[in-house]
Amino acid sequence: MQLEDYLKEHARTHPRKTAVVYQDHAVSYEELDGQVDRYAAQLRGDGVGAGQVVCFRNSQSPEFLYTYFALHRIGAVALPLERDTPESKKEEIEKRYAHFTPPSDIADILFTTGTTGRSKGVMISHDTILADGENLIEAHGYTLDHVFIINGPLNHIGSLSKIYPVMMTGGTLYLLESMKDLNAFFHALDYPCEKMGTFLVPSSARILLQLARKQLGGYADKIDFIETGAAPMSRSDMEALCQVLPKSRLFNTYASTETGIICTYNFNDGQCTAGCLGRPMKHSSVFITESGHVACSGKTLMSGYADDEAMTQAVLRDGVVYTADNGEIDSQGMLHLLGRDDDVINVGGFKVSPSEVEDVAQGHPSIKDCICIAVPSPITGNAVKLLYSTSNGEEIARRDLALFIASKLERYKVPMQYERVDEIKRTFNGKLDRKKYKNFEC
């Protein structure tokens, strides 16, 4: 059983049901299945065969889906790239995997975003795709009546994984280019249906709350659920979203390319617990290692890194993916994240999690976005510096900002330095691009 088998079945049982909406053009399940067959025939005609790794750029359109499903249908392996990948980079990747033979059950090779290091090619099996889909269907309640808005890059697991439950349940995908055009997002919400869902990275949710809070609230009865993930969401933003959408289910999900979709938590539960990722889903389990790291097992795990056995063994052992995330599991079995090893700043022997400081700082009414970085200190070795942007470009008095953070955190966690910048660099999927700030010029 593959994802494409669900597509074929829906094309048979309800051929005229809308499968995809893009720029106000609707594609039925019958049309989608027919296009996939045509693309598959063309690929075969071009000499593409089973087991071959095929690179193609994300187009954020139905054409992406036609290619993606067609590659699976002929037994090839899909390797989707960023839409603006230079031709020289694409050729380099194609050469890298030209003679690589993946295991026979591999469907995709997905590149990680590489926010803290080099991007890695993660092998995802057909069984993993279905397990991820079933996890989301059961935990978030996808049905054939849902219209799901995808607004993030389809070549990354955050958005790509939402195709799975929609295609498996026979729902409708609404494809957007991105969240840069808020009018297009609200136009999508106007699509005639009763139940809508979407995935928003925390930075996109924050933009909506800052610029279109009242307008978003106008869809409170229509938005069935919103899932967020990829980066921590501040408690202040979580509380604000709950106020704007009091009837909606608002999920914070723990997932990665290597682990698949693992845990989820509806923070619109009256508790609104920041940093909580909830309990494991149907096909997944988690535990905390002796060193305090999150470890995951189950059917959603990657098969390994493509053509890199040494790196695979460093992360995946005996059916367990060992992450660099620090975490804990509470008495109710809920997973809580406490930052990553890569990000922790050592200040005179004290360990500071940047995400904890960022969460507090984002509660300041004037801060639009922020990131904590390490800078040299002659006394403590490292000091914490807060880079921040504001909605109208105004400076915030250093003392006022320090006092605000000090009222909520221990003294050693309060940044020593502050600097306003025009914007905070983030990746395509909304994560803070910490790699860009490793050698930040003070």
Side-chain angles (χ1 to χ4, degrees):
M1 191 71 176
Q2 294 183 4
L3 187 63
E4 292 66 35
D5 297 322
Y6 285 92
L7 169 58
K8 181 70 73 177
E9 179 64 14
H10 296 318
R12 184 185 68 82
T13 57
H14 43 272
R16 290 175 177 77
K17 170 78 187 294
T18 298
V20 183
V21 179
Y22 176 68
Q23 296 182 347
D24 290 333
H25 173 67
V27 179
S28 70
Y29 271 97
E30 184 177 52
E31 292 170 324
L32 176 57
D33 186 60
Q35 287 282 31
V36 171
D37 279 342
R38 282 187 280 276
Y39 272 58
Q42 182 178 333
L43 288 166
R44 288 193 186 97
D46 292 339
V48 178
Q52 185 174 338
V53 179
V54 179
C55 300
F56 63 106
R57 293 181 181 87
N58 169 32
S59 61
Q60 208 68 15
S61 69
E63 283 70 27
F64 174 91
L65 300 178
Y66 303 156
T67 302
Y68 179 72
F69 292 140
L71 287 169
H72 290 176
R73 190 159 279 179
I74 66 173
V77 176
L79 200 166
L81 304 172
E82 301 283 359
R83 64 191 306 169
D84 59 352
T85 300
E87 186 61 28
S88 59
K89 181 66 174 178
K90 182 173 180 287
E91 291 174 355
E92 176 187 328
I93 294 170
E94 288 174 334
K95 183 178 180 180
R96 176 179 170 185
Y97 293 111
H99 303 291
F100 172 64
T101 303
S104 60
D105 62 339
I106 298 303
D108 300 340
I109 294 177
L110 303 179
F111 279 151
T112 60
T113 51
T115 56
T116 57
R118 184 175 68 88
S119 294
K120 301 175 283 293
V122 179
M123 294 187 293
I124 307 296
S125 72
H126 287 285
D127 286 346
T128 289
I129 286 175
L130 295 186
D132 280 331
E134 289 178 359
N135 269 4
L136 288 168
I137 290 169
E138 182 175 276
H140 294 172
Y142 283 76
T143 70
L144 58 83
D145 296 321
H146 277 96
V147 174
F148 192 91
I149 301 172
I150 288 184
N151 53 70
L154 289 169
N155 54 296
H156 289 304
I157 193 69
S159 292
L160 185 64
S161 63
K162 305 309 173 288
I163 292 174
Y164 311 158
V166 174
M167 289 293 103
M168 290 169 73
T169 56
T172 299
L173 288 170
Y174 194 116
L175 300 181
L176 288 181
E177 296 287 335
S178 69
M179 282 296 289
K180 292 182 179 180
D181 184 351
L182 293 187
N183 288 329
F185 177 72
F186 286 112
H187 179 67
L189 287 175
D190 285 329
Y191 184 79
C193 66
E194 293 185 1
K195 295 191 295 185
M196 301 198 83
T198 192
F199 178 88
L200 295 174
V201 295
S203 57
S204 294
R206 188 172 181 82
I207 289 171
L208 284 169
L209 290 168
Q210 290 177 332
L211 303 181
R213 181 169 181 160
K214 185 176 181 180
Q215 192 174 359
L216 180 64
Y219 297 90
D221 291 330
K222 192 173 185 179
I223 297 175
D224 181 37
F225 69 91
I226 293 176
E227 181 189 1
T228 186
M233 176 179 275
S234 69
R235 182 180 178 85
S236 58
D237 284 349
M238 291 169 67
E239 291 174 339
L241 200 58
C242 291
Q243 292 171 1
V244 174
L245 302 173
K247 301 177 184 178
S248 303
R249 295 172 297 137
L250 305 172
F251 295 105
N252 195 10
T253 298
Y254 182 62
S256 71
T257 316
E258 288 91 341
T259 64
I261 316 299
I262 299 293
C263 296
T264 198
Y265 162 61
N266 177 13
F267 59 83
N268 200 359
D269 63 347
Q271 302 296 318
C272 207
T273 307
C276 180
L277 283 305
R279 298 181 182 86
M281 301 186 204
K282 178 179 180 179
H283 293 301
S284 306
S285 62
V286 295
F287 65 93
I288 306 300
T289 66
E290 291 184 0
S291 59
H293 294 103
V294 178
C296 306
S297 60
K299 296 181 179 180
T300 67
L301 304 185
M302 69 171 181
S303 298
Y305 294 115
D307 205 22
D308 198 330
E309 184 61 29
M311 188 174 290
T312 297
Q313 289 297 320
V315 175
L316 176 61
R317 298 184 297 277
D318 299 322
V320 177
V321 166
Y322 294 87
T323 77
D325 295 321
N326 297 301
E328 62 183 16
I329 297 175
D330 65 22
S331 59
Q332 296 180 317
M334 309 271 267
L335 175 65
H336 298 254
L337 285 193
L338 307 173
R340 289 179 60 87
D341 281 350
D342 318 78
D343 305 334
V344 170
I345 301 172
N346 190 325
V347 181
F350 291 98
K351 303 296 179 65
V352 178
S353 169
S355 60
E356 184 181 13
V357 182
E358 291 152 3
D359 177 70
V360 169
Q362 284 185 343
H364 190 285
S366 297
I367 285 187
K368 177 182 178 182
D369 202 0
C370 65
I371 186 172
C372 275
I373 64 172
V375 293
S377 168
I379 300 173
T380 58
N382 287 314
V384 178
K385 179 172 184 174
L386 183 75
L387 305 177
Y388 67 90
S389 63
T390 54
S391 299
N392 52 13
E394 82 274 19
E395 295 281 354
I396 306 174
R398 174 190 177 282
R399 183 175 184 275
D400 291 344
L401 194 46
L403 287 173
F404 176 82
I405 296 173
S407 68
K408 302 176 186 296
L409 292 176
E410 298 89 339
R411 183 181 296 275
Y412 71 88
K413 296 178 181 178
V414 178
M416 294 294 294
Q417 299 181 26
Y418 300 83
E419 180 180 343
R420 184 184 63 79
V421 296
D422 291 335
E423 67 174 350
I424 301 299
K425 296 179 176 64
R426 289 181 176 268
T427 65
F428 278 108
N429 60 0
K431 292 182 180 180
L432 288 170
D433 199 344
R434 299 192 189 276
K435 185 169 62 174
K436 295 283 188 181
Y437 292 94
K438 287 295 184 184
N439 298 305
F440 182 79
E441 293 292 334
C442 304

